């Protein structure tokens, strides 16, 4: 059972698949004024936004260097640096209280890879700031990336053959404490 947080509004039922995002579009959800920004090779402001999300959310969520991609690798995928591999990232920003031109609070980041030749996708990671965990944001970001990866396949005139997620077995000792319980991670995906 997921513990409901009282300090963060629920995001359930604010996003439906029929309202799926268009890659590169910014999409807003009212509670708690979360804006989802899709980052792909055609976005001009991608570097600063991804660098900030990488430093503020991704690195703390994946403290073990061997379990994360470098910022340079992520940017290479986003910038179409690999001929057979395309990437789409979604960054969630909380716009609550942003009125003076200051940068929004980052709530989450997620990345998906599309392998063109194989026509398959990988939901690479989802990292949510501790202040926004257990309110449904992670699940919404998975849904949005899933739709964006499906659209990416369609841009190659293909129907996505399969989508994968990397999960560790809850029965296997991985030698250290994982940042998230495997069963909880599985439920999100």
């Amino acid at each position: 059972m997921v513990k409901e947080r009282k300090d963060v509004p629920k995001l359930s039922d604010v996003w439906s698949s029929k309202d799926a995002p268009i890659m590169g579009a910014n999409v807003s959800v009212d509670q708690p004024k979360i804006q989802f920004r899709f980052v792909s090779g055609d976005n001009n402001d991608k570097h600063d936004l991804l660098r900030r999300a990488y430093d503020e959310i991704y690195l703390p969520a994946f403290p073990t260097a061997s379990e994360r991609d470098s910022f340079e690798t992520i940017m290479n995928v986003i910038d179409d640096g690999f001929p057979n591999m395309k990437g789409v990232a979604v960054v969630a920003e909380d716009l609550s209280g942003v009125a003076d031109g200051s940068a929004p609070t980052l709530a989450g980041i997620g990345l998906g890879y599309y392998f063109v030749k194989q026509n398959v996708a990988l939901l690479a990671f989802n990292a949510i700031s501790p202040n926004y965990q257990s309110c449904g944001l992670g699940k919404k970001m998975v849904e949005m990336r899933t739709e964006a990866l499906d659209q990416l396949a369609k841009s190659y005139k293909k129907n996505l053959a399969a989508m994968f997620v990397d999960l560790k077995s809850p029965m296997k000792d991985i030698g250290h404490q994982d940042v998230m319980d495997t069963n909880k991670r599985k439920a999100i995906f």
Side-chain angles (χ1 to χ4, degrees), residues 49-75:
L49 177 65
L50 277 181
R51 178 86 244 185
R52 190 169 155 235
Y54 185 89
D55 291 342
E56 292 179 21
I57 299 175
Y58 183 66
L59 289 177
F62 295 93
T64 306
S66 64
E67 292 185 355
R68 65 176 182 249
D69 290 332
S70 69
F71 180 73
E72 292 73 24
T73 299
I74 292 171
M75 286 306 300

PDB file of all heavy atoms in Angstrom, residues 49-75:
ATOM      1  N   LEU A  49      18.135  23.017 -19.110  1.00  0.00           N
ATOM      2  CA  LEU A  49      17.081  22.332 -18.363  1.00  0.00           C
ATOM      3  C   LEU A  49      17.519  20.922 -17.963  1.00  0.00           C
ATOM      4  O   LEU A  49      17.369  20.526 -16.803  1.00  0.00           O
ATOM      5  CB  LEU A  49      15.799  22.266 -19.194  1.00  0.00           C
ATOM      6  CG  LEU A  49      14.632  21.515 -18.559  1.00  0.00           C
ATOM      7  CD1 LEU A  49      14.157  22.225 -17.301  1.00  0.00           C
ATOM      8  CD2 LEU A  49      13.497  21.364 -19.556  1.00  0.00           C
ATOM      9  N   LEU A  50      18.074  20.165 -18.909  1.00  0.00           N
ATOM     10  CA  LEU A  50      18.517  18.804 -18.582  1.00  0.00           C
ATOM     11  C   LEU A  50      19.688  18.805 -17.616  1.00  0.00           C
ATOM     12  O   LEU A  50      19.764  17.950 -16.735  1.00  0.00           O
ATOM     13  CB  LEU A  50      18.887  18.032 -19.850  1.00  0.00           C
ATOM     14  CG  LEU A  50      17.731  17.403 -20.591  1.00  0.00           C
ATOM     15  CD1 LEU A  50      18.215  16.644 -21.815  1.00  0.00           C
ATOM     16  CD2 LEU A  50      16.925  16.486 -19.710  1.00  0.00           C
ATOM     17  N   ARG A  51      20.604  19.745 -17.762  1.00  0.00           N
ATOM     18  CA  ARG A  51      21.751  19.818 -16.842  1.00  0.00           C
ATOM     19  C   ARG A  51      21.248  20.050 -15.421  1.00  0.00           C
ATOM     20  O   ARG A  51      21.708  19.415 -14.471  1.00  0.00           O
ATOM     21  CB  ARG A  51      22.690  20.940 -17.274  1.00  0.00           C
ATOM     22  CG  ARG A  51      23.892  21.120 -16.351  1.00  0.00           C
ATOM     23  CD  ARG A  51      24.984  20.196 -16.786  1.00  0.00           C
ATOM     24  NE  ARG A  51      25.293  19.212 -15.775  1.00  0.00           N
ATOM     25  CZ  ARG A  51      26.281  18.350 -15.890  1.00  0.00           C
ATOM     26  NH1 ARG A  51      27.041  18.327 -16.955  1.00  0.00           N
ATOM     27  NH2 ARG A  51      26.522  17.478 -14.952  1.00  0.00           N
ATOM     28  N   ARG A  52      20.312  20.960 -15.287  1.00  0.00           N
ATOM     29  CA  ARG A  52      19.764  21.264 -13.962  1.00  0.00           C
ATOM     30  C   ARG A  52      19.030  20.053 -13.378  1.00  0.00           C
ATOM     31  O   ARG A  52      19.223  19.688 -12.218  1.00  0.00           O
ATOM     32  CB  ARG A  52      18.824  22.467 -14.069  1.00  0.00           C
ATOM     33  CG  ARG A  52      18.400  23.006 -12.739  1.00  0.00           C
ATOM     34  CD  ARG A  52      17.696  24.344 -12.870  1.00  0.00           C
ATOM     35  NE  ARG A  52      16.852  24.462 -11.698  1.00  0.00           N
ATOM     36  CZ  ARG A  52      15.561  24.688 -11.715  1.00  0.00           C
ATOM     37  NH1 ARG A  52      14.935  24.900 -12.846  1.00  0.00           N
ATOM     38  NH2 ARG A  52      14.882  24.731 -10.596  1.00  0.00           N
ATOM     39  N   ALA A  53      18.197  19.403 -14.193  1.00  0.00           N
ATOM     40  CA  ALA A  53      17.461  18.225 -13.731  1.00  0.00           C
ATOM     41  C   ALA A  53      18.427  17.080 -13.409  1.00  0.00           C
ATOM     42  O   ALA A  53      18.238  16.356 -12.429  1.00  0.00           O
ATOM     43  CB  ALA A  53      16.446  17.790 -14.777  1.00  0.00           C
ATOM     44  N   TYR A  54      19.452  16.925 -14.212  1.00  0.00           N
ATOM     45  CA  TYR A  54      20.458  15.884 -13.974  1.00  0.00           C
ATOM     46  C   TYR A  54      21.138  16.106 -12.624  1.00  0.00           C
ATOM     47  O   TYR A  54      21.244  15.190 -11.815  1.00  0.00           O
ATOM     48  CB  TYR A  54      21.495  15.910 -15.111  1.00  0.00           C
ATOM     49  CG  TYR A  54      22.521  14.807 -15.042  1.00  0.00           C
ATOM     50  CD1 TYR A  54      22.286  13.585 -15.661  1.00  0.00           C
ATOM     51  CD2 TYR A  54      23.724  14.982 -14.381  1.00  0.00           C
ATOM     52  CE1 TYR A  54      23.226  12.562 -15.613  1.00  0.00           C
ATOM     53  CE2 TYR A  54      24.669  13.975 -14.324  1.00  0.00           C
ATOM     54  CZ  TYR A  54      24.416  12.767 -14.949  1.00  0.00           C
ATOM     55  OH  TYR A  54      25.353  11.753 -14.887  1.00  0.00           O
ATOM     56  N   ASP A  55      21.583  17.346 -12.378  1.00  0.00           N
ATOM     57  CA  ASP A  55      22.304  17.662 -11.143  1.00  0.00           C
ATOM     58  C   ASP A  55      21.408  17.624  -9.908  1.00  0.00           C
ATOM     59  O   ASP A  55      21.794  17.091  -8.865  1.00  0.00           O
ATOM     60  CB  ASP A  55      22.958  19.046 -11.239  1.00  0.00           C
ATOM     61  CG  ASP A  55      24.109  19.072 -12.236  1.00  0.00           C
ATOM     62  OD1 ASP A  55      24.635  18.001 -12.614  1.00  0.00           O
ATOM     63  OD2 ASP A  55      24.477  20.194 -12.660  1.00  0.00           O
ATOM     64  N   GLU A  56      20.196  18.189 -10.023  1.00  0.00           N
ATOM     65  CA  GLU A  56      19.338  18.341  -8.846  1.00  0.00           C
ATOM     66  C   GLU A  56      18.520  17.093  -8.507  1.00  0.00           C
ATOM     67  O   GLU A  56      18.194  16.878  -7.337  1.00  0.00           O
ATOM     68  CB  GLU A  56      18.376  19.518  -9.045  1.00  0.00           C
ATOM     69  CG  GLU A  56      19.065  20.863  -9.062  1.00  0.00           C
ATOM     70  CD  GLU A  56      18.109  22.022  -9.281  1.00  0.00           C
ATOM     71  OE1 GLU A  56      16.886  21.876  -9.030  1.00  0.00           O
ATOM     72  OE2 GLU A  56      18.585  23.084  -9.730  1.00  0.00           O
ATOM     73  N   ILE A  57      18.165  16.288  -9.506  1.00  0.00           N
ATOM     74  CA  ILE A  57      17.273  15.154  -9.249  1.00  0.00           C
ATOM     75  C   ILE A  57      17.918  13.810  -9.584  1.00  0.00           C
ATOM     76  O   ILE A  57      17.904  12.884  -8.778  1.00  0.00           O
ATOM     77  CB  ILE A  57      15.941  15.316 -10.018  1.00  0.00           C
ATOM     78  CG1 ILE A  57      15.235  16.587  -9.539  1.00  0.00           C
ATOM     79  CG2 ILE A  57      15.044  14.102  -9.807  1.00  0.00           C
ATOM     80  CD1 ILE A  57      13.995  16.916 -10.303  1.00  0.00           C
ATOM     81  N   TYR A  58      18.486  13.701 -10.777  1.00  0.00           N
ATOM     82  CA  TYR A  58      19.013  12.411 -11.243  1.00  0.00           C
ATOM     83  C   TYR A  58      20.189  11.932 -10.400  1.00  0.00           C
ATOM     84  O   TYR A  58      20.206  10.781  -9.958  1.00  0.00           O
ATOM     85  CB  TYR A  58      19.395  12.534 -12.721  1.00  0.00           C
ATOM     86  CG  TYR A  58      19.891  11.262 -13.361  1.00  0.00           C
ATOM     87  CD1 TYR A  58      19.056  10.175 -13.540  1.00  0.00           C
ATOM     88  CD2 TYR A  58      21.200  11.155 -13.817  1.00  0.00           C
ATOM     89  CE1 TYR A  58      19.498   9.015 -14.158  1.00  0.00           C
ATOM     90  CE2 TYR A  58      21.649  10.002 -14.431  1.00  0.00           C
ATOM     91  CZ  TYR A  58      20.807   8.939 -14.599  1.00  0.00           C
ATOM     92  OH  TYR A  58      21.247   7.793 -15.209  1.00  0.00           O
ATOM     93  N   LEU A  59      21.201  12.781 -10.190  1.00  0.00           N
ATOM     94  CA  LEU A  59      22.373  12.359  -9.420  1.00  0.00           C
ATOM     95  C   LEU A  59      22.019  11.912  -7.993  1.00  0.00           C
ATOM     96  O   LEU A  59      22.463  10.847  -7.560  1.00  0.00           O
ATOM     97  CB  LEU A  59      23.442  13.458  -9.392  1.00  0.00           C
ATOM     98  CG  LEU A  59      24.173  13.691 -10.710  1.00  0.00           C
ATOM     99  CD1 LEU A  59      25.161  14.856 -10.572  1.00  0.00           C
ATOM    100  CD2 LEU A  59      24.885  12.437 -11.179  1.00  0.00           C
ATOM    101  N   PRO A  60      21.208  12.670  -7.248  1.00  0.00           N
ATOM    102  CA  PRO A  60      20.836  12.187  -5.912  1.00  0.00           C
ATOM    103  C   PRO A  60      20.012  10.895  -5.940  1.00  0.00           C
ATOM    104  O   PRO A  60      20.100  10.075  -5.041  1.00  0.00           O
ATOM    105  CB  PRO A  60      20.018  13.337  -5.317  1.00  0.00           C
ATOM    106  CG  PRO A  60      20.419  14.550  -6.089  1.00  0.00           C
ATOM    107  CD  PRO A  60      20.755  14.056  -7.461  1.00  0.00           C
ATOM    108  N   ALA A  61      19.210  10.706  -6.992  1.00  0.00           N
ATOM    109  CA  ALA A  61      18.373   9.503  -7.086  1.00  0.00           C
ATOM    110  C   ALA A  61      19.203   8.271  -7.443  1.00  0.00           C
ATOM    111  O   ALA A  61      18.825   7.157  -7.102  1.00  0.00           O
ATOM    112  CB  ALA A  61      17.260   9.704  -8.103  1.00  0.00           C
ATOM    113  N   PHE A  62      20.298   8.464  -8.149  1.00  0.00           N
ATOM    114  CA  PHE A  62      21.175   7.366  -8.563  1.00  0.00           C
ATOM    115  C   PHE A  62      22.598   7.659  -8.094  1.00  0.00           C
ATOM    116  O   PHE A  62      23.461   8.023  -8.900  1.00  0.00           O
ATOM    117  CB  PHE A  62      21.120   7.183 -10.092  1.00  0.00           C
ATOM    118  CG  PHE A  62      19.777   6.758 -10.600  1.00  0.00           C
ATOM    119  CD1 PHE A  62      18.853   7.703 -11.016  1.00  0.00           C
ATOM    120  CD2 PHE A  62      19.422   5.416 -10.647  1.00  0.00           C
ATOM    121  CE1 PHE A  62      17.600   7.322 -11.474  1.00  0.00           C
ATOM    122  CE2 PHE A  62      18.175   5.020 -11.100  1.00  0.00           C
ATOM    123  CZ  PHE A  62      17.265   5.979 -11.513  1.00  0.00           C
ATOM    124  N   PRO A  63      22.852   7.516  -6.799  1.00  0.00           N
ATOM    125  CA  PRO A  63      24.160   7.907  -6.255  1.00  0.00           C
ATOM    126  C   PRO A  63      25.324   7.010  -6.685  1.00  0.00           C
ATOM    127  O   PRO A  63      26.471   7.434  -6.635  1.00  0.00           O
ATOM    128  CB  PRO A  63      23.943   7.835  -4.736  1.00  0.00           C
ATOM    129  CG  PRO A  63      22.795   6.909  -4.551  1.00  0.00           C
ATOM    130  CD  PRO A  63      21.940   7.049  -5.766  1.00  0.00           C
ATOM    131  N   THR A  64      25.037   5.797  -7.130  1.00  0.00           N
ATOM    132  CA  THR A  64      26.087   4.874  -7.554  1.00  0.00           C
ATOM    133  C   THR A  64      26.390   5.123  -9.032  1.00  0.00           C
ATOM    134  O   THR A  64      25.526   4.906  -9.894  1.00  0.00           O
ATOM    135  CB  THR A  64      25.650   3.414  -7.331  1.00  0.00           C
ATOM    136  OG1 THR A  64      25.259   3.261  -5.965  1.00  0.00           O
ATOM    137  CG2 THR A  64      26.771   2.442  -7.664  1.00  0.00           C
ATOM    138  N   ALA A  65      27.599   5.556  -9.326  1.00  0.00           N
ATOM    139  CA  ALA A  65      27.973   5.956 -10.691  1.00  0.00           C
ATOM    140  C   ALA A  65      27.747   4.849 -11.714  1.00  0.00           C
ATOM    141  O   ALA A  65      27.357   5.117 -12.848  1.00  0.00           O
ATOM    142  CB  ALA A  65      29.428   6.414 -10.725  1.00  0.00           C
ATOM    143  N   SER A  66      27.939   3.609 -11.329  1.00  0.00           N
ATOM    144  CA  SER A  66      27.786   2.503 -12.281  1.00  0.00           C
ATOM    145  C   SER A  66      26.322   2.239 -12.639  1.00  0.00           C
ATOM    146  O   SER A  66      26.045   1.502 -13.576  1.00  0.00           O
ATOM    147  CB  SER A  66      28.417   1.228 -11.713  1.00  0.00           C
ATOM    148  OG  SER A  66      27.733   0.818 -10.537  1.00  0.00           O
ATOM    149  N   GLU A  67      25.382   2.837 -11.929  1.00  0.00           N
ATOM    150  CA  GLU A  67      23.954   2.633 -12.191  1.00  0.00           C
ATOM    151  C   GLU A  67      23.314   3.787 -12.947  1.00  0.00           C
ATOM    152  O   GLU A  67      22.104   3.830 -13.098  1.00  0.00           O
ATOM    153  CB  GLU A  67      23.201   2.426 -10.872  1.00  0.00           C
ATOM    154  CG  GLU A  67      23.548   1.140 -10.185  1.00  0.00           C
ATOM    155  CD  GLU A  67      22.719   0.892  -8.941  1.00  0.00           C
ATOM    156  OE1 GLU A  67      21.917   1.778  -8.554  1.00  0.00           O
ATOM    157  OE2 GLU A  67      22.869  -0.176  -8.359  1.00  0.00           O
ATOM    158  N   ARG A  68      24.113   4.718 -13.423  1.00  0.00           N
ATOM    159  CA  ARG A  68      23.530   5.863 -14.121  1.00  0.00           C
ATOM    160  C   ARG A  68      24.325   6.176 -15.387  1.00  0.00           C
ATOM    161  O   ARG A  68      25.493   5.833 -15.519  1.00  0.00           O
ATOM    162  CB  ARG A  68      23.478   7.081 -13.209  1.00  0.00           C
ATOM    163  CG  ARG A  68      24.829   7.606 -12.798  1.00  0.00           C
ATOM    164  CD  ARG A  68      24.722   8.881 -11.970  1.00  0.00           C
ATOM    165  NE  ARG A  68      26.041   9.367 -11.647  1.00  0.00           N
ATOM    166  CZ  ARG A  68      26.564   9.363 -10.434  1.00  0.00           C
ATOM    167  NH1 ARG A  68      25.857   8.914  -9.412  1.00  0.00           N
ATOM    168  NH2 ARG A  68      27.776   9.821 -10.235  1.00  0.00           N
ATOM    169  N   ASP A  69      23.658   6.858 -16.300  1.00  0.00           N
ATOM    170  CA  ASP A  69      24.303   7.351 -17.510  1.00  0.00           C
ATOM    171  C   ASP A  69      24.936   8.700 -17.208  1.00  0.00           C
ATOM    172  O   ASP A  69      24.434   9.464 -16.374  1.00  0.00           O
ATOM    173  CB  ASP A  69      23.271   7.544 -18.633  1.00  0.00           C
ATOM    174  CG  ASP A  69      22.725   6.228 -19.170  1.00  0.00           C
ATOM    175  OD1 ASP A  69      23.452   5.216 -19.100  1.00  0.00           O
ATOM    176  OD2 ASP A  69      21.588   6.220 -19.657  1.00  0.00           O
ATOM    177  N   SER A  70      26.012   9.009 -17.905  1.00  0.00           N
ATOM    178  CA  SER A  70      26.627  10.326 -17.758  1.00  0.00           C
ATOM    179  C   SER A  70      25.750  11.363 -18.444  1.00  0.00           C
ATOM    180  O   SER A  70      24.951  11.038 -19.339  1.00  0.00           O
ATOM    181  CB  SER A  70      28.024  10.335 -18.381  1.00  0.00           C
ATOM    182  OG  SER A  70      27.935  10.237 -19.793  1.00  0.00           O
ATOM    183  N   PHE A  71      25.900  12.597 -18.048  1.00  0.00           N
ATOM    184  CA  PHE A  71      25.155  13.679 -18.687  1.00  0.00           C
ATOM    185  C   PHE A  71      25.501  13.748 -20.171  1.00  0.00           C
ATOM    186  O   PHE A  71      24.623  13.954 -21.019  1.00  0.00           O
ATOM    187  CB  PHE A  71      25.451  15.018 -17.998  1.00  0.00           C
ATOM    188  CG  PHE A  71      24.719  16.167 -18.620  1.00  0.00           C
ATOM    189  CD1 PHE A  71      23.353  16.313 -18.440  1.00  0.00           C
ATOM    190  CD2 PHE A  71      25.390  17.100 -19.397  1.00  0.00           C
ATOM    191  CE1 PHE A  71      22.657  17.360 -19.026  1.00  0.00           C
ATOM    192  CE2 PHE A  71      24.705  18.156 -19.976  1.00  0.00           C
ATOM    193  CZ  PHE A  71      23.344  18.290 -19.789  1.00  0.00           C
ATOM    194  N   GLU A  72      26.760  13.540 -20.491  1.00  0.00           N
ATOM    195  CA  GLU A  72      27.205  13.587 -21.882  1.00  0.00           C
ATOM    196  C   GLU A  72      26.523  12.501 -22.711  1.00  0.00           C
ATOM    197  O   GLU A  72      26.120  12.742 -23.856  1.00  0.00           O
ATOM    198  CB  GLU A  72      28.736  13.452 -21.953  1.00  0.00           C
ATOM    199  CG  GLU A  72      29.484  14.650 -21.386  1.00  0.00           C
ATOM    200  CD  GLU A  72      29.450  14.752 -19.855  1.00  0.00           C
ATOM    201  OE1 GLU A  72      29.260  13.716 -19.161  1.00  0.00           O
ATOM    202  OE2 GLU A  72      29.580  15.895 -19.353  1.00  0.00           O
ATOM    203  N   THR A  73      26.380  11.301 -22.167  1.00  0.00           N
ATOM    204  CA  THR A  73      25.703  10.215 -22.885  1.00  0.00           C
ATOM    205  C   THR A  73      24.243  10.565 -23.131  1.00  0.00           C
ATOM    206  O   THR A  73      23.725  10.384 -24.237  1.00  0.00           O
ATOM    207  CB  THR A  73      25.807   8.891 -22.110  1.00  0.00           C
ATOM    208  OG1 THR A  73      27.189   8.540 -21.982  1.00  0.00           O
ATOM    209  CG2 THR A  73      25.055   7.771 -22.795  1.00  0.00           C
ATOM    210  N   ILE A  74      23.587  11.071 -22.110  1.00  0.00           N
ATOM    211  CA  ILE A  74      22.173  11.454 -22.256  1.00  0.00           C
ATOM    212  C   ILE A  74      22.033  12.530 -23.325  1.00  0.00           C
ATOM    213  O   ILE A  74      21.170  12.444 -24.206  1.00  0.00           O
ATOM    214  CB  ILE A  74      21.587  11.923 -20.905  1.00  0.00           C
ATOM    215  CG1 ILE A  74      21.499  10.732 -19.940  1.00  0.00           C
ATOM    216  CG2 ILE A  74      20.220  12.580 -21.100  1.00  0.00           C
ATOM    217  CD1 ILE A  74      21.145  11.108 -18.517  1.00  0.00           C
ATOM    218  N   MET A  75      22.887  13.543 -23.295  1.00  0.00           N
ATOM    219  CA  MET A  75      22.818  14.610 -24.292  1.00  0.00           C
ATOM    220  C   MET A  75      23.106  14.074 -25.691  1.00  0.00           C
ATOM    221  O   MET A  75      22.490  14.512 -26.661  1.00  0.00           O
ATOM    222  CB  MET A  75      23.782  15.753 -23.947  1.00  0.00           C
ATOM    223  CG  MET A  75      23.297  16.612 -22.785  1.00  0.00           C
ATOM    224  SD  MET A  75      21.624  17.279 -22.982  1.00  0.00           S
ATOM    225  CE  MET A  75      21.800  18.251 -24.466  1.00  0.00           C
TER     226      MET A  75
END
